[in-house]
Amino acid sequence: MVLHITPYSSACLHFLDGLSWSLVFPCYWLLDRLLASCVATSLEKRQRSQDPCSFLTLCVLISAPLYLLLVLASLPFALLGFILWAPLQAVRQPYLYTFHRADKHQAEQGQGGAGIGEWRPQGRSFCFCSANVCLLPDSLARFNNLSDTHRRAREVGKRIRNGASRPQIKIYIDSPTNTSISAASFSSLATGFRRTSSLDQRPDQTHTNGPADPETEPLTECPIHPSGGTDCPVHPSAGTQGSPECPVHHDKAEGSPVDCPLHNSSDCPVHTSAEGPDCPVHSPASPDYCPLHTSGVQISISAPEPDPEEEGDTGNHRSGEQMGADTGSMTASRESLARYHGNDGGVGISSNNTLSHVPRTSIFKRAARKRRHGDETFDHEISAFFPANLDFLALQEVFDHGATTRLRGQLHRYFPYVLSDVGRYGWKGCCSRFKFLNSGLILASRYPILDARYECYPNGRGEDALAAKGALFAKVHVGTSHQEQRVVGYLTCTHLHAIEGDSSVRCEQLDLLLQWGAEFRQSSSQPPEGEKVLEDLVAFDVILGDLNFDNCSSEDKLEQQHALFTQYKDPCRLGPGEDKPWALGTLLDPSGLYDDDVSSPESLQKVMENEEGRKEYLVFPPSKSQCPASSQKGRKIPLKGNGRRIDYILYSDEGLQQDWKLELEEFSFVTQLAGLTDHLSVAMRLAVSTGEEEP
């Protein structure tokens, strides 16, 4: 179980690789720019149509012939470099493992990785996310209506990092009669309280984003409900008890606080409508009961430190405008921080990370609340944010080398452990064709990675065979039991064959995925020869990736009935050919990426929550009555399902320890990468319970 921390085992080979690439790169870059100048995005076409004599059009007319001449001039050097580079790929390592130690500020804010201390008897929850980010060389990305790959790579990393490390409110309840906090369930910090796992309702000293000590931060009763309370962290007292001026209610005397964000019937944080006579906020019959501050309630905020290089920025919205219009508008995460650190409408955060006071604006704005359908036991939502405290991230289509470097640098500010540059180039083993691109996979983790393996699919066809698509397997260390046994989890990141109609190819790849996964788990669980160690305890086994088939298309029936779905559970699936009503397609129509209606995470979220909006901007399974090549805009025919859902997170409860259980807590479709990719991200939170009692 040796992780590869360098591409080559020898410094000499590393030098030769760098030398060969320095000879190839000028021709590669010039050819990429030449092709990119010939393929315009819809945004560029719009700009040129508005001003045919624009500077952009003039640059293209001048640069294209110049690029062509320079490509021809650099070809001899590129040929020499290629002769050196190609043989070296046979001995290149299949992935690069990098570790970034957290700095002082990250460690203090819990952003430098999750603790792997003693495994708690009641278990722990873990959050997983998968995203196809389409970071191809710029000329190829333009066929998906995307451009400026290196800028997008940096922005993708920033949005993921800011979304995962944004301030998160947790409510801890120490009451023998009240053990539920589902009433305060919201999708993001910027728009409300976020529901935490039932396993995390109590403060834990080992948690990286744990609250302040309840003994040093006592909370009394809410002054809005007069019972002698004098200090409330949500409603700061504006004077003595019984003062006519309430910091939240502008007109307490009249009893009709129309503008109050707590008592407005449409924005009630306890229930979605003003109905329900038992609501303790709206019912005057319960003046002594506060739903936010029941006996022993503690509210805690975990807030990240701003990046030193971004101190002068007003947020991702401004940086997106500076780096290009196709970024969209707000990236949401930075704005959520601004609402908390700003002077107007912000939330004061004390040095001990507890909520000191909440003015009348911002935090209680109405959010897209998590919903449950029928007998569903977990929450599901469409969110403009990546989940807070994200533990594991799997990315696909990170093919460009420069984009990989930029993206990895951003991810390392939140994820200490990253597997990148995964795959093979040239000719190697089972890969029968020459590979110009690697697998495009990246796996980032907040927990230490113990072992990893990459396998290449041998049956790629057509243009898909030019990339070393395959599967990346990883074993992570998430805790240690009382008996000094390691508690581990298994992760699989993959990207299947993409060409439509090749169901047999994808089924073969799924067969290999299951086979390789079983072999990896068996080999990684073997103790070193001659050593006697306790057997590892398995907490979870999760598959993440772009499988390039959906569960509703008639053309994908073979994949839908594959044995993969008997061994792993799909939270969005009812059965072969049928998704749950709330499941959402993850493949966006590339032609609409720059429309104002979907250019920001918030606007894309609103469109995805609307059935008619989804028909406009999602790719749907092709039907016999609709030509797949025609435009999707304005279709009047009935559409099956909610779009093509090709991005998956699957989990298995087989192989866990006896009496251990997996409980799915929430599933999210994330729009935070709006304008940066043609896929929606998916996220899932799992709770692992051991069945033991808290000592």
Side-chain angles (χ1 to χ4, degrees):
M1 293 190 290
V2 178
L3 294 169
H4 306 298
I5 59 175
T6 59
Y8 296 93
S9 57
S10 167
C12 179
L13 294 177
H14 194 279
F15 171 77
L16 290 176
D17 180 78
L19 176 62
S20 62
W21 181 243
S22 66
L23 295 173
V24 172
F25 178 76
C27 183
Y28 163 81
W29 184 84
L30 290 167
L31 182 61
D32 184 52
R33 298 316 308 157
L34 175 63
L35 296 176
S37 64
C38 300
V39 182
T41 64
S42 61
L43 180 64
E44 293 170 344
K45 292 178 181 178
R46 186 193 312 166
Q47 293 172 345
R48 295 175 188 176
S49 64
Q50 294 172 353
D51 185 8
C53 298
S54 65
F55 178 74
L56 179 61
T57 304
L58 187 62
C59 287
V60 171
L61 294 176
I62 296 176
S63 62
L66 181 61
Y67 284 142
L68 179 58
L69 291 175
L70 293 176
V71 166
L72 296 176
S74 60
L75 273 177
F77 299 97
L79 180 60
L80 176 61
F82 180 80
I83 294 174
L84 289 174
W85 176 82
L88 290 173
Q89 306 314 304
V91 293
R92 179 185 169 275
Q93 304 296 353
Y95 61 81
L96 180 64
Y97 169 72
T98 54
F99 167 69
H100 176 75
R101 189 177 301 277
D103 58 29
K104 180 180 179 181
H105 292 295
Q106 289 176 321
E108 289 175 354
Q109 298 300 331
Q111 298 176 43
I116 56 169
E118 186 174 338
W119 181 258
R120 294 181 296 179
Q122 77 273 27
R124 188 176 293 176
S125 64
F126 302 94
C127 189
F128 309 83
C129 182
S130 177
N132 184 315
V133 290
C134 197
L135 294 177
L136 294 135
D138 195 46
S139 57
L140 299 180
R142 287 172 175 269
F143 288 98
N144 288 352
N145 202 22
L146 294 164
S147 64
D148 205 348
T149 296
H150 289 183
R151 179 196 55 77
R152 285 192 298 113
R154 186 182 295 106
E155 185 69 10
V156 164
K158 285 183 179 179
R159 293 195 191 186
I160 294 174
R161 172 172 53 87
N162 290 339
S165 63
R166 73 186 189 275
Q168 180 185 13
I169 291 181
K170 290 190 176 183
I171 303 178
Y172 301 99
I173 301 178
D174 292 325
S175 170
T177 58
N178 188 356
T179 59
S180 173
I181 57 174
S182 60
S185 177
F186 293 84
S187 63
S188 68
L189 174 67
T191 52
F193 286 115
R194 180 188 172 282
R195 179 179 180 268
T196 59
S197 163
S198 59
L199 301 179
D200 294 328
Q201 287 183 11
R202 294 177 179 271
D204 183 2
Q205 299 297 333
T206 63
H207 198 283
T208 58
N209 282 338
D213 189 352
E215 296 181 0
T216 61
E217 294 291 336
L219 295 177
T220 56
E221 295 175 341
C222 181
I224 296 178
H225 308 88
S227 57
T230 60
D231 182 21
C232 174
V234 172
H235 304 137
S237 59
T240 59
Q241 178 72 16
S243 171
E245 181 179 356
C246 175
V248 174
H249 307 154
H250 295 287
D251 194 357
K252 181 179 178 181
E254 294 181 7
S256 57
V258 179
D259 296 330
C260 175
L262 276 177
H263 293 74
N264 189 316
S265 61
S266 64
D267 294 335
C268 178
V270 178
H271 53 71
T272 57
S273 66
E275 300 175 358
D278 296 330
C279 174
V281 170
H282 293 90
S283 175
S286 305
D288 297 329
Y289 177 75
C290 175
L292 299 178
H293 302 112
T294 54
S295 174
V297 174
Q298 179 177 352
I299 301 178
S300 175
I301 280 186
S302 300
E305 289 289 328
D307 295 329
E309 67 177 27
E310 299 174 3
E311 287 290 341
D313 294 342
T314 58
N316 282 349
H317 179 37
R318 173 172 294 182
S319 63
E321 292 177 344
Q322 292 171 346
M323 292 187 292
D326 64 340
T327 301
S329 58
M330 295 182 300
T331 60
S333 303
R334 263 304 188 208
E335 285 211 353
S336 69
L337 295 183
R339 291 176 184 171
Y340 283 82
H341 293 286
N343 294 327
D344 298 329
V347 176
I349 300 180
S350 60
S351 59
N352 58 4
N353 283 344
T354 55
L355 186 61
S356 58
H357 90 282
V358 180
R360 10 183 111 89
T361 58
S362 79
I363 194 171
F364 292 109
K365 289 175 64 178
R366 189 158 62 101
R369 293 174 175 82
K370 298 178 183 178
R371 297 177 292 275
R372 296 185 180 183
H373 182 83
D375 298 329
E376 208 75 85
T377 59
F378 59 91
D379 294 322
H380 47 82
E381 66 171 344
I382 302 171
S383 174
F385 297 86
F386 282 95
N389 291 334
L390 180 61
D391 294 308
F392 306 102
L393 173 70
L395 300 178
Q396 302 87 46
E397 289 197 13
V398 189
F399 289 116
D400 186 82
H401 181 73
T404 301
T405 303
R406 288 166 173 79
L407 178 59
R408 183 172 57 220
Q410 292 294 329
L411 293 179
H412 264 313
R413 298 184 183 181
Y414 179 80
F415 295 99
Y417 313 95
V418 176
L419 295 171
S420 61
D421 202 11
V422 179
R424 299 285 189 184
Y425 298 96
W427 290 282
K428 173 68 177 180
C430 67
C431 302
S432 57
R433 296 191 182 182
F434 189 90
K435 304 299 180 183
F436 290 94
L437 300 172
N438 63 14
S439 70
L441 303 176
I442 282 185
L443 183 63
S445 170
R446 294 180 69 199
Y447 291 88
I449 298 175
L450 299 174
D451 193 12
R453 179 186 299 175
Y454 159 79
E455 297 287 351
C456 177
Y457 293 128
N459 60 344
R461 294 180 185 175
E463 64 271 19
D464 235 35
L466 301 179
K469 287 188 173 181
L472 175 65
F473 304 92
K475 179 180 180 180
V476 293
H477 185 196
V478 298
T480 304
S481 71
H482 294 297
Q483 293 78 25
E484 299 300 322
Q485 288 178 278
R486 290 189 310 189
V487 182
V488 302
Y490 290 99
L491 300 168
T492 301
C493 178
T494 189
H495 189 188
L496 298 189
H497 185 71
I499 299 177
E500 294 184 5
D502 286 348
S503 293
S504 60
V505 175
R506 282 186 287 272
C507 286
E508 291 175 10
Q509 293 177 348
L510 291 176
D511 291 338
L512 291 172
L513 184 71
L514 293 177
Q515 175 187 333
W516 291 336
E519 293 173 355
F520 173 73
R521 289 188 293 274
Q522 181 178 4
S523 63
S524 64
S525 61
Q526 297 292 332
E529 188 174 348
E531 294 185 16
K532 292 184 178 180
V533 295
L534 295 176
E535 182 182 0
D536 291 336
L537 304 177
V538 180
F540 55 81
D541 183 3
V542 176
I543 295 177
L544 311 97
D546 181 354
L547 303 188
N548 273 313
F549 66 86
D550 65 77
N551 195 43
C552 295
S553 297
S554 57
E555 290 79 3
D556 296 335
K557 284 185 178 180
L558 286 177
E559 298 97 315
Q560 296 163 10
Q561 299 171 358
H562 194 270
L564 173 76
F565 296 104
T566 63
Q567 300 184 30
Y568 289 83
K569 299 180 180 179
D570 181 358
C572 303
R573 169 183 162 119
L574 284 174
E578 185 178 7
D579 274 349
K580 295 180 180 179
W582 52 265
L584 192 65
T586 60
L587 187 59
L588 297 172
D589 180 10
S591 64
L593 293 180
Y594 305 114
D595 289 3
D596 292 338
D597 291 341
V598 294
S599 60
S600 71
E602 293 85 358
S603 60
L604 181 57
Q605 177 193 27
K606 292 179 181 178
V607 168
M608 291 298 105
E609 290 176 340
N610 181 274
E611 184 176 356
E612 293 302 317
R614 291 196 291 266
K615 292 180 181 179
E616 288 290 318
Y617 291 101
L618 285 179
V619 174
F620 279 75
S623 62
K624 295 181 180 179
S625 59
Q626 179 71 25
C627 177
S630 64
S631 174
Q632 299 197 149
K633 298 300 181 67
R635 290 201 287 187
K636 303 298 182 182
I637 64 173
L639 298 173
K640 184 179 180 181
N642 287 326
R644 293 204 67 197
R645 184 175 60 89
I646 64 176
D647 298 271
Y648 292 78
I649 302 183
L650 312 175
Y651 69 97
S652 174
D653 52 10
E654 298 180 6
L656 299 184
Q657 304 308 121
Q658 189 175 6
D659 298 329
W660 285 30
K661 294 182 179 179
L662 284 180
E663 179 185 359
L664 182 60
E665 290 189 329
E666 58 190 41
F667 194 95
S668 305
F669 296 92
V670 182
T671 64
Q672 197 169 357
L673 298 183
L676 300 177
T677 180
D678 58 350
H679 286 245
L680 294 181
S681 308
V682 289
M684 177 183 73
R685 193 178 299 273
L686 277 179
V688 184
S689 58
T690 63
E692 301 179 24
E693 296 293 334
E694 182 76 22

